[in-house]
Amino acid sequence: MSGAAMERINGQRRAVRILLLLAGREFDGVRNAELARALETSAPNITRDLKTLIDEGLVERLPTDPEKVRLGPRMVQVALAYQRHLDAVRRRVEELEQRYTRTPQEPVDVES
């Protein structure tokens, strides 16, 4: 694999890890330097990765401190859509469970 291909893979992996590191830090955010330390990479790599994530709406800068980033609205929308889907699946499973586990009625005697 070429060096450029490896760098793309590493960049993708860093981007995913950035998202994971930002989870739960929506109020206080994280500085680039903290992300670089946590991921053992350079600040320019983090800056490049964050630009892509910000452009896609997955990450945003804190309005109160533009030096920090947090998960963006699109990431929250993805999470909420997933939650709605899980809720719908749960309701369907519960319907099926009720349908197939209720006590059968006594058979009707048709010859009487």
Side-chain angles (χ1 to χ4, degrees):
M1 190 174 295
S2 73
M6 277 305 289
E7 180 55 33
R8 272 194 303 279
I9 290 170
N10 289 336
Q12 292 167 350
R13 185 168 283 135
R14 271 194 318 271
V16 169
R17 289 181 179 162
I18 288 169
L19 294 174
L20 295 173
L21 285 169
L22 293 178
R25 305 283 303 270
E26 290 76 22
F27 292 106
D28 56 344
V30 180
R31 292 186 188 281
N32 287 23
E34 290 177 66
L35 292 169
R37 260 192 314 278
L39 297 175
E40 299 177 352
T41 192
S42 67
N45 281 339
I46 294 297
T47 300
R48 191 171 33 254
D49 297 337
L50 285 175
K51 181 184 180 335
T52 301
L53 292 168
I54 289 169
D55 289 349
E56 294 300 322
L58 298 173
V59 171
E60 68 180 1
R61 298 216 173 269
L62 261 68
T64 56
D65 186 352
E67 296 294 314
K68 292 183 176 182
V69 293
R70 65 181 176 191
L71 292 178
R74 191 160 185 203
M75 192 73 222
V76 175
Q77 291 167 351
V78 168
L80 291 173
Y82 179 74
Q83 183 63 49
R84 282 192 300 273
H85 176 72
L86 283 180
D87 290 344
V89 168
R90 276 191 202 106
R91 283 192 302 275
R92 183 70 179 130
V93 168
E94 287 170 5
E95 289 169 9
L96 289 171
E97 187 176 60
Q98 288 176 7
R99 184 176 181 191
Y100 290 106
T101 60
R102 66 181 127 165
T103 307
Q105 298 178 3
E106 293 293 322
V108 178
D109 186 8
V110 291
E111 292 184 16
S112 301

